[in-house]
Amino acid sequence: MAGRVGLDKQSVVEAAAKMADERGLQRVTLSALADSLGVRTPSLYHYIDGSDGLRRELALYGLRGLGMGLQWAAVGKQTDQAIEAMFLSYRAFAREHPGVYEVTLRAPDPLDEELRSASQRVVDTVLAVLEPYRLSPDDAIHVVRSFRATAHGFVALEAAGAFGLPLSPEQSYRRLIAVFLNGLRMLE
Amino acid sequence: MAGRVGLDKQSVVEAAAKMADERGLQRVTLSALADSLGVRTPSLYHYIDGSDGLRRELALYGLRGLGMGLQWAAVGKQTDQAIEAMFLSYRAFAREHPGVYEVTLRAPDPLDEELRSASQRVVDTVLAVLEPYRLSPDDAIHVVRSFRATAHGFVALEAAGAFGLPLSPEQSYRRLIAVFLNGLRMLE
DNA sequence: ACGATTTATCTAATGTGATTAGATCATAAT
DNA sequence: ATTATGATCTAATCACATTAGATAAATCGT
């Protein structure tokens, strides 16, 4: 009998995140997670609210990481350079944390204040970068949505292995960014 | 005892598709599907290869529907109008078939010839529409990837409920399409 | 230092879903 | 009718999630 193991919510979530990124989100079962922590499955219920609760924690963890990444990427940059940096940062995060990234998009309970605010940080960062374009408030939101759609779409297709051909995804992404920035220019 | 029910693969897949669209993909269990067909769970194994097999059939079904939709949308249209029509058709399919659409993107076994070819039809349709832009072969593929990324990204965010604000997704999508088409113009 | 409280962890039990093996029974073919 | 085929079933097993309640380790007040 190992006695107390000394877990806490953070270490559980981090172990789950690591497992999600290394083995794939679907293989993160409470069973496997408990094993990897040297504990029985029901013990996890002291830290997380079951399987759905763990997902939610992972989503929060992911959204925060993504938001921080975007914010850092935009530091000291302006307009097109800032947007490009955010695009690159977005993809980098998704590639480094495929399992965690995958869960960030699922099931955002509109009443979940923490999730909402982590999500808002992403939006606000993009909005801040759009400042110098002097868009109307509505237009700015349309563009934020477009940014997220564009970045997410590429990253999701890439993660799903949808790009089979022997043509660099790197380059495709740069092209996509160029298309986006060119397109933006017409709105100014 | 009901005796023979008279199922076949197609009716099983179609029932699963309906269930996925109406109740959500994750609620399509072999159990629930068997129930809805008036049959015991193991009976389904005569038509599909377990849970993963069913997913694969759904993905194929979805890709074919999506491909047909895109092709129809582009009939009789050219350049920007054709691309816009494909964008609208893409979103329409995803909204009409949320459960089926969701599965089209997952786990494309590269050795699965049927899946590959259904997927290729989507690519080929977009490539055909790009013809008049006279892009290099590589550029054309970059643009196809960009199209799919853009359309998928928007549609996935929308389905995930990521657009919380009281601003029309319809309009956002039209803006996104405009940005894309504007961006394309610079490549010509 | 000691008993009481708290709490981290456990065992046991239940439920749902997937899957396999092999039996049964309806239909079709002869 | 007889047999062969195959669609469907029952029974059994397994993995995972979840809840209830027991146990034992740590902590706290004295």
Side-chain angles (χ1 to χ4, degrees):
Chain A
M1 302 314 135
R4 301 230 164 166
V5 179
L7 295 178
D8 57 13
K9 185 163 165 174
Q10 194 185 337
S11 55
V12 169
V13 172
E14 278 169 7
K18 191 157 169 261
M19 187 177 279
D21 290 338
E22 288 172 356
R23 305 193 213 165
L25 184 62
Q26 80 185 137
R27 264 175 277 202
V28 181
T29 64
L30 295 189
S31 218
L33 182 58
D35 266 7
S36 88
L37 291 168
V39 107
R40 301 303 184 124
T41 307
S43 306
L44 297 177
Y45 284 75
H46 268 265
Y47 304 106
I48 50 160
D49 190 10
S51 216
D52 287 350
L54 177 59
R55 293 263 168 136
R56 184 260 179 198
E57 296 303 329
L58 282 176
L60 188 56
Y61 181 84
L63 275 177
R64 285 177 173 156
L66 184 62
M68 280 177 29
L70 290 183
Q71 198 167 334
W72 270 108
V75 163
K77 306 214 176 66
Q78 259 196 345
T79 62
D80 286 15
Q81 273 73 42
I83 292 178
E84 185 185 21
M86 288 195 306
F87 267 116
L88 296 177
S89 163
Y90 197 104
R91 176 165 176 254
F93 182 85
R95 285 164 61 91
E96 282 160 26
H97 305 287
V100 168
Y101 178 76
E102 188 182 344
V103 90
T104 54
L105 218 52
R106 292 216 273 211
D109 177 353
L111 300 176
D112 187 327
E113 199 46 45
E114 273 186 318
L115 260 190
R116 214 194 50 69
S117 114
S119 194
Q120 192 60 40
R121 177 180 183 173
V122 172
V123 172
D124 287 344
T125 302
V126 181
L127 277 176
V129 163
L130 291 177
E131 221 2 87
Y133 291 88
R134 308 234 132 263
L135 304 167
S136 77
D138 278 8
D139 275 1
I141 291 177
H142 289 309
V143 173
V144 172
R145 289 176 173 181
S146 294
F147 168 81
R148 282 221 284 169
T150 302
H152 169 66
F154 188 90
V155 142
L157 291 180
E158 189 178 19
F163 300 153
L165 297 150
L167 186 64
S168 155
E170 226 84 11
Q171 272 228 331
S172 291
Y173 197 53
R174 297 209 165 267
R175 291 307 191 92
L176 177 57
I177 296 170
V179 167
F180 184 89
L181 291 175
N182 281 336
L184 254 202
R185 210 154 286 144
M186 322 281 292
L187 296 182
E188 284 177 272
Chain B
M1 304 314 136
R4 301 235 164 160
V5 179
L7 295 178
D8 56 13
K9 186 163 164 175
Q10 195 185 334
S11 56
V12 169
V13 172
E14 278 169 8
K18 192 158 168 262
M19 188 176 280
D21 290 337
E22 288 172 357
R23 305 193 214 167
L25 184 61
Q26 80 186 138
R27 264 176 278 202
V28 181
T29 63
L30 294 190
S31 221
L33 182 56
D35 267 6
S36 87
L37 291 167
V39 107
R40 300 304 183 125
T41 308
S43 306
L44 296 178
Y45 284 76
H46 268 266
Y47 305 106
I48 51 160
D49 191 11
S51 216
D52 287 351
L54 177 60
R55 293 263 167 138
R56 184 261 180 197
E57 296 302 330
L58 282 177
L60 188 55
Y61 181 83
L63 275 176
R64 284 177 173 155
L66 184 62
M68 280 177 28
L70 290 184
Q71 198 167 333
W72 270 108
V75 164
K77 306 213 176 66
Q78 260 195 344
T79 61
D80 284 15
Q81 273 72 43
I83 293 177
E84 185 185 21
M86 288 194 307
F87 267 115
L88 296 177
S89 163
Y90 196 105
R91 176 166 178 254
F93 182 85
R95 285 164 61 91
E96 282 160 26
H97 305 286
V100 168
Y101 177 76
E102 188 182 343
V103 89
T104 54
L105 218 52
R106 292 216 274 209
D109 176 353
L111 299 175
D112 188 325
E113 200 45 46
E114 272 186 317
L115 261 190
R116 214 195 49 71
S117 114
S119 193
Q120 191 59 40
R121 178 180 183 174
V122 172
V123 172
D124 287 344
T125 302
V126 181
L127 277 176
V129 163
L130 292 177
E131 229 351 275
Y133 291 87
R134 306 235 134 263
L135 305 168
S136 77
D138 277 9
D139 275 2
I141 292 178
H142 289 308
V143 173
V144 171
R145 290 177 174 180
S146 294
F147 169 82
R148 282 220 283 167
T150 302
H152 168 66
F154 188 90
V155 141
L157 290 181
E158 189 178 18
F163 301 152
L165 297 151
L167 187 64
S168 155
E170 227 85 11
Q171 272 228 332
S172 291
Y173 197 52
R174 297 208 167 269
R175 292 309 191 89
L176 178 57
I177 296 171
V179 167
F180 184 90
L181 290 175
N182 282 334
L184 254 201
R185 211 154 285 144
M186 323 280 293
L187 296 182
E188 283 179 272

